[in-house]
Amino acid sequence: MARKKPLVVVTRRLPDKIETRMRELFDARLNVDDVPMSQAALAEAMATADVLVPALCDRIDARVIEAAGPNFKLIANFGNGVDHIDVAAATARGITITNTPGVLTEDTADMTMALILAVPRRLSEGAALVTAGDGQWPGWSPTWMLGHRIWGKRLGIIGMGRIGQAVARRAKAFGLQIHYHNRHPLPAQIEEELEATYWDSLDQMLARMDILSVNCPHTPGTYHLLSARRLKLVRPDAYIVNTARGEVIDEHALIRMIEAGDIAGAGLDVFEREPAVSPKLLKLARTGKVVLLPHMGSATVEARIDTGEKVIVNIRAFMDDHRPPDRVLPNML
């Protein structure tokens, strides 16, 4: 007899290619309307399914995990970050968790570099003036819309994993001097390749950089890593770019300091309470001091397909009684 296909609940709409393959391989329940599932709906899915495929917008907390039925065995996350999943609670229930590392690296690094360029050079402010029409752009002038060059500036990268290193390679090509803070220094060969300077003290690095890029994951240890105290160490002519997670920065403190002129500006693709965006940030965006994007750092067709394919590999490996290649354990966080 053919083996029964596992019941796999997918919480959000995925690329057609991935959904079609999931229907072929599994008893896949798809979210064709792409409406976010409530906590009650997530709990119901875990009570009846074998596998759940959530995304970062789904909060898989201890209460949802408690609802897991006797057949539920795997949370195959669609994405790399698992800060929306209570990994400890799931592990205690004997539930395996997987993620999709590596597939978002180059796209997120591209977007980081775009923001590193956009904020000092006032790109969004200039684009808004052109598209506003009504004579808002008076024509070229030697002293109009002046920004700051990035060539020769010091870039401090917070978190030198895959994405941080990819950002460093791009930034080096633009003539930036690479500095970084990480839990551990990189191997000497990689440091030499990137011409990167390691700082074991984040505080000391913050005080010396022209641009700061946040590229670390959100964990209990990195929540408000850039706290109000640390943000006060940042130079008033420096810029901050965040394409990681909004919770890594104390957003209220950042807003206050930009408003006061204590930090020059910021480029943010993520927010502390997204999808809600602070009205104060929106006001700052209208002044050109910040560039705001709707969490689109990894939003490419290629990245979404690669992510879905990794999800499928993890599910198939697990269901074939093999160790999934991208298993997440509490001690990894």
Side-chain angles (χ1 to χ4, degrees), residues 12-328:
R12 297 301 297 265
R13 182 76 188 273
L14 303 182
D16 288 345
K17 177 180 178 180
I18 299 303
E19 290 189 338
T20 300
R21 188 60 176 148
M22 284 188 169
R23 289 295 300 271
E24 292 171 347
L25 295 170
F26 318 125
D27 178 8
R29 307 292 172 85
L30 307 176
N31 186 346
V32 295
D33 297 323
D34 203 27
V35 176
M37 294 175 67
S38 66
Q39 296 301 102
L42 290 169
E44 182 180 352
M46 293 190 68
T48 57
D50 299 296
V51 179
L52 182 74
V53 180
L56 65 88
C57 49
D58 301 306
R59 184 163 54 90
I60 314 300
D61 57 20
R63 181 170 295 182
V64 169
I65 291 167
E66 286 175 4
N71 295 324
F72 189 87
K73 299 298 181 184
L74 175 65
I75 299 173
N77 188 54
F78 185 88
N80 186 36
V82 293
D83 46 304
H84 56 296
I85 301 171
D86 191 330
V87 176
T91 303
R93 285 288 302 269
I95 296 170
T96 298
I97 300 170
T98 62
N99 66 345
T100 58
V103 296
L104 312 178
T105 299
E106 303 304 330
D107 300 307
T108 304
D110 285 345
M111 190 62 77
T112 303
M113 199 65 223
L115 286 172
I116 289 172
L117 285 163
V119 182
R121 293 301 306 270
R122 303 172 66 179
L123 296 191
S124 64
E125 188 180 356
L129 282 168
V130 171
T131 56
D134 299 327
Q136 293 294 314
W137 179 36
W140 185 87
S141 166
T143 58
W144 192 66
M145 284 296 294
L146 299 182
H148 291 278
R149 68 164 59 126
I150 66 167
W151 185 91
K153 298 297 194 297
R154 292 186 176 92
L155 171 66
I157 298 174
I158 302 169
M160 203 62 149
R162 293 183 183 92
I163 295 173
Q165 291 176 44
V167 170
R169 290 187 178 92
R170 287 159 173 76
K172 180 185 173 187
F174 277 84
L176 286 152
Q177 299 177 39
I178 309 303
H179 297 250
Y180 74 100
H181 170 77
N182 207 39
R183 285 184 294 180
H184 305 288
L186 295 172
Q189 181 180 352
I190 298 178
E191 268 198 356
E192 184 177 349
E193 173 200 342
L194 298 175
E195 299 177 17
T197 301
Y198 173 66
W199 294 82
D200 60 352
S201 168
L202 176 57
D203 288 7
Q204 290 185 18
M205 186 182 81
L206 292 175
R208 293 166 170 82
M209 298 298 110
D210 301 297
I211 304 169
L212 292 158
S213 177
V214 179
N215 298 108
C216 61
H218 172 223
T219 68
T222 62
Y223 176 75
H224 280 191
L225 182 66
L226 291 188
S227 60
R229 179 191 69 80
R230 283 201 168 112
L231 288 171
K232 290 178 182 178
L233 302 174
V234 176
R235 290 167 39 179
D237 58 348
Y239 301 92
I240 296 176
V241 168
N242 188 6
T243 56
R245 287 289 189 268
E247 294 90 341
V248 178
I249 302 178
D250 182 336
E251 194 171 277
H252 290 305
L254 177 65
I255 291 169
R256 289 197 304 270
M257 295 192 69
I258 294 174
E259 288 175 335
D262 296 325
I263 292 177
L268 306 175
D269 186 43
V270 289
F271 307 93
E272 191 166 353
R273 293 170 181 82
E274 63 181 68
V277 179
S278 167
K280 292 183 178 180
L281 276 177
L282 297 176
K283 183 178 180 180
L284 284 170
R286 290 190 287 271
T287 70
K289 291 184 178 180
V290 301
V291 175
L292 308 178
L293 298 176
H295 203 146
M296 55 189 288
S298 63
T300 67
V301 172
E302 296 85 353
R304 296 294 187 252
I305 291 175
D306 289 348
T307 300
E309 288 176 344
K310 265 196 175 264
V311 169
I312 290 171
V313 167
N314 282 315
I315 297 173
R316 293 193 71 181
F318 183 84
M319 290 301 167
D320 289 339
D321 296 322
H322 299 302
R323 180 185 175 92
D326 303 307
R327 187 178 182 185
V328 177

